[in-house]
Amino acid sequence: MNVWSRRLAGPRDPLFQAFNASIVEDRFLADAEATASAAYARALARASVLTAAELDLILVGLERVRRRIAFGEDLCRFEDIHSAVELLLTEEIGDAGRKLHTGRSRNEQVVADEKLYLKAEIPKIVAAIGQVRAAAVALAGAHPDAIIPGYTHLQPGQYVLFAHYVLSLLGPLERAQSRLAETLHRLDACPLGSGAIAGSTIPLDRRTLAEDLGFAEPTSNSMDAVSDRTYILDVLYALAVLHLDLGRFAEDFVIFATREFGLIALDDRLATSSSLMPQKKNPDIFELVRASSGAAVGRLIGLMTTLKGLPSTYNKDLQTDKRPLREGIEEAGRVLRVFGAALGFIRPRADGPAAKPDASLLATDLADYLTEKGLPFREAHGVAGAVVAYAESQGKSCDELSLAELQKLYPGFGEDARAVFSVRRSIERKKTSGSTHPDEVRAALNRERE
Amino acid sequence: MNVWSRRLAGPRDPLFQAFNASIVEDRFLADAEATASAAYARALARASVLTAAELDLILVGLERVRRRIAFGEDLCRFEDIHSAVELLLTEEIGDAGRKLHTGRSRNEQVVADEKLYLKAEIPKIVAAIGQVRAAAVALAGAHPDAIIPGYTHLQPGQYVLFAHYVLSLLGPLERAQSRLAETLHRLDACPLGSGAIAGSTIPLDRRTLAEDLGFAEPTSNSMDAVSDRTYILDVLYALAVLHLDLGRFAEDFVIFATREFGLIALDDRLATSSSLMPQKKNPDIFELVRASSGAAVGRLIGLMTTLKGLPSTYNKDLQTDKRPLREGIEEAGRVLRVFGAALGFIRPRADGPAAKPDASLLATDLADYLTEKGLPFREAHGVAGAVVAYAESQGKSCDELSLAELQKLYPGFGEDARAVFSVRRSIERKKTSGSTHPDEVRAALNRERE
Amino acid sequence: MNVWSRRLAGPRDPLFQAFNASIVEDRFLADAEATASAAYARALARASVLTAAELDLILVGLERVRRRIAFGEDLCRFEDIHSAVELLLTEEIGDAGRKLHTGRSRNEQVVADEKLYLKAEIPKIVAAIGQVRAAAVALAGAHPDAIIPGYTHLQPGQYVLFAHYVLSLLGPLERAQSRLAETLHRLDACPLGSGAIAGSTIPLDRRTLAEDLGFAEPTSNSMDAVSDRTYILDVLYALAVLHLDLGRFAEDFVIFATREFGLIALDDRLATSSSLMPQKKNPDIFELVRASSGAAVGRLIGLMTTLKGLPSTYNKDLQTDKRPLREGIEEAGRVLRVFGAALGFIRPRADGPAAKPDASLLATDLADYLTEKGLPFREAHGVAGAVVAYAESQGKSCDELSLAELQKLYPGFGEDARAVFSVRRSIERKKTSGSTHPDEVRAALNRERE
Amino acid sequence: MNVWSRRLAGPRDPLFQAFNASIVEDRFLADAEATASAAYARALARASVLTAAELDLILVGLERVRRRIAFGEDLCRFEDIHSAVELLLTEEIGDAGRKLHTGRSRNEQVVADEKLYLKAEIPKIVAAIGQVRAAAVALAGAHPDAIIPGYTHLQPGQYVLFAHYVLSLLGPLERAQSRLAETLHRLDACPLGSGAIAGSTIPLDRRTLAEDLGFAEPTSNSMDAVSDRTYILDVLYALAVLHLDLGRFAEDFVIFATREFGLIALDDRLATSSSLMPQKKNPDIFELVRASSGAAVGRLIGLMTTLKGLPSTYNKDLQTDKRPLREGIEEAGRVLRVFGAALGFIRPRADGPAAKPDASLLATDLADYLTEKGLPFREAHGVAGAVVAYAESQGKSCDELSLAELQKLYPGFGEDARAVFSVRRSIERKKTSGSTHPDEVRAALNRERE
């Protein structure tokens, strides 16, 4: 069933029809299509194309159609969601339904539908990110005193508060919210009234129509209005980066939860065991979060590839934007829910192998000590490195070196040198804003809680 | 329902369980799983782990399980297809079912299943490509004398036989078949007997097991056997290039079918019209073929991204390989069927605007003429270019220039110069193998028909 | 030459050293490194780590280093730009240079440098986009009355003003500027004072330091500060979409400039000819603009792939972000300059084959006419489609049909029906804001000129 | 300086000329261009287009041109390498040089050059992979008895020989060689004689010409010959997978070299230290190997994006294939050299934290023990899991449980149960081909050495 049958002669080929039809992929836009159609009908009535009675009939009819679809109406006999709603409406209310499409093109409808869908869904994603932020705060707040080594290159560098590490999740999450908010801002223009490419001969008041649908303004060039799909790229990009960032932390958790690192413990419900090796406790949830960036990047690059080199305005190729759009939104929601919940089932281990104090991680503190004694930093750094190398060669930990040994490496070491080797003190000696100092971490927690 | 429940205490969380489960995505492997399990059972029997009676029971049970799944058994209560088949088997035949997993790991099973699936499906894709080749030959063979301009930079360059152009599809299609065949060749090693990572304590005869399943050999390192997923990348890559190549021709057809080029006519069944502009006849089928490269590239890059940076052997991330695998195969099949059928509904137009002879396309022939007269090629090329520019400046076609005019540009033009301006002769003057000369095209057709 | 030599014993291997070194790739950050180092020195002085005299020495020395590098100093003996500047500084001013690194880490320096570079370069890209907007306005304004067919599916749909089409470039360009501006906004936090991961033991006033460098604020978590590279992804994404959008118009121009479409003429300087076919006039510039989206997408996806799965904070992998960053910025600048200039060498052709009026493009107007007569739109659309099909079957243009013929297809056609077939009138009948109506196009031009 | 100047009037614009020129990017093809030109000249002579004297002159001239370029001739005044060689040849030998291009097109030349380049370079890459294989064999062979835990999900699963793990590199490397060899096989057809698109009017013996250049055959369709660039995609794909696979092992080494895992020790020359944290020993080499997959994937996807949607035959967009081609080859060579060398500086640590025997990794052996006692595998697996959980709850290692304790969990345990807990025995109990059994590993080593 299609809406243009008198132009093309001859039988339709079912193979080609099935290939052309987008109805399976665009059913999720049914609600947006009904909403946009109702607003368009009101605009037609304002432009005197519909009578008040026809408008009423159409509005009632659209609600009935919306309900039929919500209750599972089989739409396979239609080509796409636009035809489906229009033809079901005509089934419901007869001739008046046939007037709804006056001066309207599917080229503008699909853009309106997609934008309305995003205006509804993106705030939910932003809120779900907010839930992950709250979960991070709860996790950090529950363990204010736990200390872990901070890693660079996966090598322990300096001690940090576990809470400080956990709060380093906030930056990526805030940026994800910022990207999504901007996406929403940039797409906030209503294409209806653009016609197929040239505009409409009906004197539609596009500003009122845009406002009726909650858009900030109407689009400003009819050809651009039906061409542009970068609002979907913007969303897929923001989501891909979100997945990549969550994946980085998932990678941390997978590593931190190993027997060897043992920095965190995962509750059994985050793990599965093996079908063959009964002792295994696998961090499947975080592996799957990490894996989710693959499909997210694939959706972005897939649509970029499709858009590449298309001539401007509408081309049928654009039809394939629906699936990455819907799946991208759904998958992000799913991963955020799972990741946020999973944060509730992590705890830092005080007893793990990597948690036991290692004086070599305090080498930077030793360099700082020497700098305070007046040694230029580069030399202080060199001496501290030599201390670490010497201790290693002796099979000792740095804090097991005697003062005499230290002084052999650098005579300027004083009685107070060995006081450097306190993990807690190392953390408390950090003085800058945004550092791991307990006061800074507490302040960050409080800022976020507000 | 899972197969490892005694290791992990406490309740399972439905949110996490749903996220972990792959059963929705791996149902398509049911058949392969049953086949591989039957072969594994025979190997266990050969290794005296199963009695002949147990083996019979298992083989009969597996067929029943296979049938239950084929008839739509709801598998949602299972974690994955491996558990599903094993647990259904145990439902069917009791205790003997619990022995099937002896010394076996899901890590090797999933690889075996995916490879068996590909061994069944890739030949179908190769055959579908063969159908497109046949369709190209039929199209070329049906119009042996039609002539079109050959384009570079979308500028008409030299005349070619329509059949020659159509046969330029063969190269990409042959290369696609070659890539897929190699893929199949490279994955032709059976992982069963590799265990989870270390091999099996059961003295399985892996070579016989491999042959039982139609593999050329067993894999040679158990850790590699459960790590590798590049056989899927190979397939996704080969398919992505296939889609890109089909897309180039789809782009040609979209352009050639425009009102302005008018080089080919599309049957109505390849086209749709517009919901607003009744005169439109849109080449939707070819636009969608062109668009299909987006998702194909997305699948490849998505899985590459997922694999990137994974530590070796099995990680849960690998679970996400199923969807791009299945969808890639299915979509390629669909696009090939449609594209092949669509070739049957194209015909060259003798009456289109771009089809009427244009002497400027014979400028190369003019240069050749001068070269034969002894002018070095570079100068001949310059003179021919000047002829085109002069004719343009006079508002004439090159073949409308008088001999006097030609001689003003280069005195060496003789009486015979104007004989150059014959489209058909231009084509027949090509002498090299693989050229557009009618004999060469006929030979190519015949080679392909064999 | 490196800055950490006392820790690791034994000889360095030149193969590995060359592989590790980033100096070839990060030389472009020299200026930013000098600027950031000067600000850091001022912060150290404020924190009483440097005396006023030392500070002066360092500031003077940094300017000398900056100049040496600007004049081509060979830096190959250094590991990276941070070591290079520090070691050159020490060459210039001796011991005081060794104090500059006090409490500082390359992990924070590289982020500061990259962000300073972007703060300098992105406004130039935004301005270059502004130049393209101006060029589009000039092109549109120079041809206010030219009319071209508007295409969807590369099929002519409705007539539009050439200026309206050209102004459809403004939307993509504005969105590109918006994306880049947001990128700049999101990265506007200074990492200095974050140390390697944990913060600094020097009581640096990070807010003043940030302001000294023109940042809005300091970063808020030291671990996030050294981990994050999504500010580069944001830029690469914004640029990739810009290239894709320019590429769509480049595709249009390549097609519109064909002999067959002939909608626009390209000045000879936009074109090249062929080494073999002297009549060719190839639109190379636009083909290369179209091609540029490939590398742009490659840079984005390349860095996404690199970042995927990295554990948090600094990993050496991040070093490979420099090249896509610099090349992305440079290539965008180049393509914008060329594209903007190229717009000045395009003109619409009144005489081209696609420019001659085609009444079938007015079928929508015919449907509108019938709708105004009271026919429901769907039926009006059907009648108009039938008129097109009938005219085609008679080998006529729609406007050559007699009233009698029209009435045979639908009795409601009146005397006024044939007045529909005026191209100019069709354009003037568009009434909506953003449409191709001359008043709307003029208004858009004026808005943009302000 | 270009080779088509008489067709296009007016001054050239330097901005556009610089943008058009590919000479900077295609200089690396100089050698191939000279080689192909010489063969083409011989073919022209065979076809009597050149005299023997002219041929000699050209051959001598080409060698002089080849040398001038090798010695650093500045080529910036030329448009591309094809023009450069032709014009330099004419400088050298005068008029005869102008005849070389007779019947030849840059469209075919560039394909010939790229293919010749690949025919020279790919064998080197294949050989470099062979060196890495040899390095893996040397590493495995040097430590035949070292044992490490084998990991899945980064959780220790079962013990394996270190050598077995190292030899799991061979599979990916062999597959990489196989992919590259196939690439070479698929591109082994010479395009020369195809002309711009239609073939040549010179009666060239294309088979002899192809053989002269070492190609297996001439291409079979002139339009396909100048269109196809998938031979570059094939190479970029093979290299991207190679980088991804090396990256997986680099990830392993980064993790195995951590303080926490301590499974392997890296020689100091593989590591760098930190500018701030003197104790650090960072595995930079392997991080950079891991990172290299980003750019490799970017190159592949970049060229795929560029090719997407191009009309068939030559388009200027294809010019941008040079850079990813050359850089892909060069970078793969560099990474292979570094990775192979780095394998020589790794050794397994017997003293590392993860190396000390952990009886829980023998749980699978316990399950096997019970299976041998006749328990169905699923139940045996459950009992073994319960043993692990019980030991954990008692703060004991599994092998510290008394027989009584074991029997409480399952009465069938016998005296011999505790003999299961031997790491070495666990490895020796593996019986399948390709397993970690010492005999199998030795056999694999021997196979590879041959």
Side-chain angles (χ1 to χ4, degrees), chain C residues 263-285:
Chain C
L263 287 173
I264 59 172
L266 304 184
D267 189 277
D268 277 3
R269 70 197 86 188
L270 293 184
T272 58
S273 190
S274 155
S275 69
L276 180 61
M277 298 171 289
Q279 85 286 2
K280 296 292 295 289
K281 191 171 155 185
N282 298 323
D284 292 37
I285 292 296

PDB file of all heavy atoms in Angstrom, chain C residues 263-285:
ATOM      1  N   LEU C 263      24.019  22.836 -15.268  1.00  0.00           N
ATOM      2  CA  LEU C 263      23.350  23.861 -14.468  1.00  0.00           C
ATOM      3  C   LEU C 263      24.302  24.963 -14.050  1.00  0.00           C
ATOM      4  O   LEU C 263      23.888  26.084 -13.808  1.00  0.00           O
ATOM      5  CB  LEU C 263      22.738  23.239 -13.206  1.00  0.00           C
ATOM      6  CG  LEU C 263      21.502  22.399 -13.436  1.00  0.00           C
ATOM      7  CD1 LEU C 263      21.108  21.708 -12.147  1.00  0.00           C
ATOM      8  CD2 LEU C 263      20.362  23.289 -13.921  1.00  0.00           C
ATOM      9  N   ILE C 264      25.557  24.597 -13.882  1.00  0.00           N
ATOM     10  CA  ILE C 264      26.528  25.608 -13.513  1.00  0.00           C
ATOM     11  C   ILE C 264      27.733  25.498 -14.437  1.00  0.00           C
ATOM     12  O   ILE C 264      27.983  24.449 -15.033  1.00  0.00           O
ATOM     13  CB  ILE C 264      27.020  25.470 -12.044  1.00  0.00           C
ATOM     14  CG1 ILE C 264      27.666  24.102 -11.805  1.00  0.00           C
ATOM     15  CG2 ILE C 264      25.895  25.723 -11.061  1.00  0.00           C
ATOM     16  CD1 ILE C 264      28.336  23.973 -10.443  1.00  0.00           C
ATOM     17  N   ALA C 265      28.447  26.599 -14.557  1.00  0.00           N
ATOM     18  CA  ALA C 265      29.700  26.603 -15.304  1.00  0.00           C
ATOM     19  C   ALA C 265      30.817  26.819 -14.303  1.00  0.00           C
ATOM     20  O   ALA C 265      30.696  27.625 -13.369  1.00  0.00           O
ATOM     21  CB  ALA C 265      29.683  27.724 -16.332  1.00  0.00           C
ATOM     22  N   LEU C 266      31.881  26.080 -14.490  1.00  0.00           N
ATOM     23  CA  LEU C 266      33.063  26.249 -13.645  1.00  0.00           C
ATOM     24  C   LEU C 266      34.095  27.031 -14.428  1.00  0.00           C
ATOM     25  O   LEU C 266      34.357  26.719 -15.596  1.00  0.00           O
ATOM     26  CB  LEU C 266      33.670  24.890 -13.280  1.00  0.00           C
ATOM     27  CG  LEU C 266      32.766  23.878 -12.611  1.00  0.00           C
ATOM     28  CD1 LEU C 266      33.591  22.650 -12.241  1.00  0.00           C
ATOM     29  CD2 LEU C 266      32.116  24.468 -11.381  1.00  0.00           C
ATOM     30  N   ASP C 267      34.667  27.998 -13.803  1.00  0.00           N
ATOM     31  CA  ASP C 267      35.776  28.700 -14.422  1.00  0.00           C
ATOM     32  C   ASP C 267      36.909  27.711 -14.677  1.00  0.00           C
ATOM     33  O   ASP C 267      37.104  26.760 -13.921  1.00  0.00           O
ATOM     34  CB  ASP C 267      36.244  29.796 -13.468  1.00  0.00           C
ATOM     35  CG  ASP C 267      37.251  30.705 -14.112  1.00  0.00           C
ATOM     36  OD1 ASP C 267      38.454  30.338 -14.119  1.00  0.00           O
ATOM     37  OD2 ASP C 267      36.840  31.763 -14.614  1.00  0.00           O
ATOM     38  N   ASP C 268      37.653  27.957 -15.752  1.00  0.00           N
ATOM     39  CA  ASP C 268      38.743  27.042 -16.099  1.00  0.00           C
ATOM     40  C   ASP C 268      39.680  26.796 -14.923  1.00  0.00           C
ATOM     41  O   ASP C 268      40.253  25.712 -14.790  1.00  0.00           O
ATOM     42  CB  ASP C 268      39.570  27.608 -17.259  1.00  0.00           C
ATOM     43  CG  ASP C 268      38.925  27.283 -18.597  1.00  0.00           C
ATOM     44  OD1 ASP C 268      37.831  26.685 -18.592  1.00  0.00           O
ATOM     45  OD2 ASP C 268      39.510  27.636 -19.624  1.00  0.00           O
ATOM     46  N   ARG C 269      39.828  27.771 -14.050  1.00  0.00           N
ATOM     47  CA  ARG C 269      40.840  27.542 -13.011  1.00  0.00           C
ATOM     48  C   ARG C 269      40.386  26.541 -11.952  1.00  0.00           C
ATOM     49  O   ARG C 269      41.200  26.110 -11.138  1.00  0.00           O
ATOM     50  CB  ARG C 269      41.331  28.859 -12.433  1.00  0.00           C
ATOM     51  CG  ARG C 269      40.399  29.619 -11.601  1.00  0.00           C
ATOM     52  CD  ARG C 269      40.893  31.076 -11.472  1.00  0.00           C
ATOM     53  NE  ARG C 269      40.418  31.884 -12.587  1.00  0.00           N
ATOM     54  CZ  ARG C 269      40.811  33.139 -12.840  1.00  0.00           C
ATOM     55  NH1 ARG C 269      41.692  33.710 -12.091  1.00  0.00           N
ATOM     56  NH2 ARG C 269      40.300  33.807 -13.848  1.00  0.00           N
ATOM     57  N   LEU C 270      39.126  26.165 -11.954  1.00  0.00           N
ATOM     58  CA  LEU C 270      38.674  25.103 -11.044  1.00  0.00           C
ATOM     59  C   LEU C 270      38.887  23.721 -11.645  1.00  0.00           C
ATOM     60  O   LEU C 270      38.618  22.710 -11.014  1.00  0.00           O
ATOM     61  CB  LEU C 270      37.180  25.245 -10.746  1.00  0.00           C
ATOM     62  CG  LEU C 270      36.773  26.461  -9.940  1.00  0.00           C
ATOM     63  CD1 LEU C 270      35.290  26.394  -9.651  1.00  0.00           C
ATOM     64  CD2 LEU C 270      37.569  26.524  -8.651  1.00  0.00           C
ATOM     65  N   ALA C 271      39.287  23.705 -12.886  1.00  0.00           N
ATOM     66  CA  ALA C 271      39.275  22.438 -13.610  1.00  0.00           C
ATOM     67  C   ALA C 271      40.670  22.080 -14.096  1.00  0.00           C
ATOM     68  O   ALA C 271      41.575  22.901 -14.111  1.00  0.00           O
ATOM     69  CB  ALA C 271      38.334  22.548 -14.802  1.00  0.00           C
ATOM     70  N   THR C 272      40.851  20.851 -14.451  1.00  0.00           N
ATOM     71  CA  THR C 272      42.049  20.424 -15.140  1.00  0.00           C
ATOM     72  C   THR C 272      41.579  19.653 -16.350  1.00  0.00           C
ATOM     73  O   THR C 272      40.409  19.285 -16.461  1.00  0.00           O
ATOM     74  CB  THR C 272      42.911  19.489 -14.285  1.00  0.00           C
ATOM     75  OG1 THR C 272      42.106  18.370 -13.923  1.00  0.00           O
ATOM     76  CG2 THR C 272      43.412  20.179 -13.033  1.00  0.00           C
ATOM     77  N   SER C 273      42.494  19.380 -17.250  1.00  0.00           N
ATOM     78  CA  SER C 273      42.114  18.543 -18.378  1.00  0.00           C
ATOM     79  C   SER C 273      42.763  17.173 -18.196  1.00  0.00           C
ATOM     80  O   SER C 273      43.267  16.845 -17.124  1.00  0.00           O
ATOM     81  CB  SER C 273      42.500  19.190 -19.693  1.00  0.00           C
ATOM     82  OG  SER C 273      41.910  18.449 -20.756  1.00  0.00           O
ATOM     83  N   SER C 274      42.728  16.403 -19.218  1.00  0.00           N
ATOM     84  CA  SER C 274      43.201  15.030 -19.127  1.00  0.00           C
ATOM     85  C   SER C 274      44.527  14.890 -19.843  1.00  0.00           C
ATOM     86  O   SER C 274      44.820  15.612 -20.793  1.00  0.00           O
ATOM     87  CB  SER C 274      42.154  14.121 -19.778  1.00  0.00           C
ATOM     88  OG  SER C 274      42.725  12.937 -20.248  1.00  0.00           O
ATOM     89  N   SER C 275      45.334  13.932 -19.390  1.00  0.00           N
ATOM     90  CA  SER C 275      46.600  13.698 -20.067  1.00  0.00           C
ATOM     91  C   SER C 275      46.377  12.986 -21.400  1.00  0.00           C
ATOM     92  O   SER C 275      47.229  12.970 -22.252  1.00  0.00           O
ATOM     93  CB  SER C 275      47.533  12.863 -19.180  1.00  0.00           C
ATOM     94  OG  SER C 275      47.041  11.546 -19.052  1.00  0.00           O
ATOM     95  N   LEU C 276      45.209  12.394 -21.551  1.00  0.00           N
ATOM     96  CA  LEU C 276      44.948  11.640 -22.777  1.00  0.00           C
ATOM     97  C   LEU C 276      43.796  12.215 -23.598  1.00  0.00           C
ATOM     98  O   LEU C 276      43.820  12.196 -24.812  1.00  0.00           O
ATOM     99  CB  LEU C 276      44.665  10.166 -22.425  1.00  0.00           C
ATOM    100  CG  LEU C 276      44.367   9.247 -23.605  1.00  0.00           C
ATOM    101  CD1 LEU C 276      45.550   9.188 -24.557  1.00  0.00           C
ATOM    102  CD2 LEU C 276      44.021   7.851 -23.130  1.00  0.00           C
ATOM    103  N   MET C 277      42.739  12.699 -22.884  1.00  0.00           N
ATOM    104  CA  MET C 277      41.528  13.095 -23.588  1.00  0.00           C
ATOM    105  C   MET C 277      41.443  14.614 -23.594  1.00  0.00           C
ATOM    106  O   MET C 277      41.002  15.224 -22.629  1.00  0.00           O
ATOM    107  CB  MET C 277      40.323  12.472 -22.903  1.00  0.00           C
ATOM    108  CG  MET C 277      40.378  10.939 -22.933  1.00  0.00           C
ATOM    109  SD  MET C 277      39.125  10.138 -21.912  1.00  0.00           S
ATOM    110  CE  MET C 277      39.748  10.520 -20.274  1.00  0.00           C
ATOM    111  N   PRO C 278      41.835  15.231 -24.696  1.00  0.00           N
ATOM    112  CA  PRO C 278      42.030  16.679 -24.673  1.00  0.00           C
ATOM    113  C   PRO C 278      40.754  17.491 -24.473  1.00  0.00           C
ATOM    114  O   PRO C 278      40.850  18.663 -24.135  1.00  0.00           O
ATOM    115  CB  PRO C 278      42.670  16.971 -26.044  1.00  0.00           C
ATOM    116  CG  PRO C 278      42.572  15.734 -26.845  1.00  0.00           C
ATOM    117  CD  PRO C 278      42.287  14.598 -25.936  1.00  0.00           C
ATOM    118  N   GLN C 279      39.571  16.906 -24.687  1.00  0.00           N
ATOM    119  CA  GLN C 279      38.362  17.707 -24.533  1.00  0.00           C
ATOM    120  C   GLN C 279      37.903  17.813 -23.082  1.00  0.00           C
ATOM    121  O   GLN C 279      36.990  18.571 -22.772  1.00  0.00           O
ATOM    122  CB  GLN C 279      37.229  17.100 -25.380  1.00  0.00           C
ATOM    123  CG  GLN C 279      36.442  15.978 -24.719  1.00  0.00           C
ATOM    124  CD  GLN C 279      37.208  14.657 -24.636  1.00  0.00           C
ATOM    125  OE1 GLN C 279      38.361  14.559 -25.037  1.00  0.00           O
ATOM    126  NE2 GLN C 279      36.586  13.661 -24.068  1.00  0.00           N
ATOM    127  N   LYS C 280      38.506  17.052 -22.191  1.00  0.00           N
ATOM    128  CA  LYS C 280      38.020  16.974 -20.810  1.00  0.00           C
ATOM    129  C   LYS C 280      38.222  18.278 -20.040  1.00  0.00           C
ATOM    130  O   LYS C 280      39.205  18.978 -20.239  1.00  0.00           O
ATOM    131  CB  LYS C 280      38.755  15.863 -20.035  1.00  0.00           C
ATOM    132  CG  LYS C 280      38.521  14.482 -20.563  1.00  0.00           C
ATOM    133  CD  LYS C 280      37.112  13.992 -20.370  1.00  0.00           C
ATOM    134  CE  LYS C 280      36.717  13.815 -18.939  1.00  0.00           C
ATOM    135  NZ  LYS C 280      37.354  12.700 -18.278  1.00  0.00           N
ATOM    136  N   LYS C 281      37.316  18.559 -19.168  1.00  0.00           N
ATOM    137  CA  LYS C 281      37.427  19.707 -18.261  1.00  0.00           C
ATOM    138  C   LYS C 281      36.927  19.211 -16.915  1.00  0.00           C
ATOM    139  O   LYS C 281      35.742  19.213 -16.635  1.00  0.00           O
ATOM    140  CB  LYS C 281      36.547  20.847 -18.799  1.00  0.00           C
ATOM    141  CG  LYS C 281      36.795  22.165 -18.100  1.00  0.00           C
ATOM    142  CD  LYS C 281      36.071  23.285 -18.831  1.00  0.00           C
ATOM    143  CE  LYS C 281      35.795  24.418 -17.862  1.00  0.00           C
ATOM    144  NZ  LYS C 281      34.991  25.481 -18.511  1.00  0.00           N
ATOM    145  N   ASN C 282      37.864  18.717 -16.123  1.00  0.00           N
ATOM    146  CA  ASN C 282      37.493  17.960 -14.928  1.00  0.00           C
ATOM    147  C   ASN C 282      37.389  18.841 -13.684  1.00  0.00           C
ATOM    148  O   ASN C 282      38.245  19.682 -13.463  1.00  0.00           O
ATOM    149  CB  ASN C 282      38.543  16.884 -14.672  1.00  0.00           C
ATOM    150  CG  ASN C 282      38.624  15.901 -15.824  1.00  0.00           C
ATOM    151  OD1 ASN C 282      37.609  15.569 -16.421  1.00  0.00           O
ATOM    152  ND2 ASN C 282      39.826  15.462 -16.145  1.00  0.00           N
ATOM    153  N   PRO C 283      36.360  18.615 -12.894  1.00  0.00           N
ATOM    154  CA  PRO C 283      36.113  19.472 -11.724  1.00  0.00           C
ATOM    155  C   PRO C 283      36.951  19.028 -10.524  1.00  0.00           C
ATOM    156  O   PRO C 283      36.408  18.776  -9.446  1.00  0.00           O
ATOM    157  CB  PRO C 283      34.618  19.261 -11.484  1.00  0.00           C
ATOM    158  CG  PRO C 283      34.390  17.838 -11.898  1.00  0.00           C
ATOM    159  CD  PRO C 283      35.333  17.588 -13.047  1.00  0.00           C
ATOM    160  N   ASP C 284      38.260  18.972 -10.729  1.00  0.00           N
ATOM    161  CA  ASP C 284      39.150  18.374  -9.734  1.00  0.00           C
ATOM    162  C   ASP C 284      39.003  18.971  -8.338  1.00  0.00           C
ATOM    163  O   ASP C 284      39.053  18.251  -7.336  1.00  0.00           O
ATOM    164  CB  ASP C 284      40.613  18.544 -10.155  1.00  0.00           C
ATOM    165  CG  ASP C 284      40.967  17.735 -11.385  1.00  0.00           C
ATOM    166  OD1 ASP C 284      40.112  17.638 -12.275  1.00  0.00           O
ATOM    167  OD2 ASP C 284      42.084  17.218 -11.431  1.00  0.00           O
ATOM    168  N   ILE C 285      38.877  20.291  -8.299  1.00  0.00           N
ATOM    169  CA  ILE C 285      38.826  20.939  -6.987  1.00  0.00           C
ATOM    170  C   ILE C 285      37.685  20.353  -6.147  1.00  0.00           C
ATOM    171  O   ILE C 285      37.866  20.005  -4.977  1.00  0.00           O
ATOM    172  CB  ILE C 285      38.631  22.463  -7.151  1.00  0.00           C
ATOM    173  CG1 ILE C 285      39.876  23.070  -7.772  1.00  0.00           C
ATOM    174  CG2 ILE C 285      38.296  23.125  -5.825  1.00  0.00           C
ATOM    175  CD1 ILE C 285      41.125  22.956  -6.944  1.00  0.00           C
TER     176      ILE C 285
END
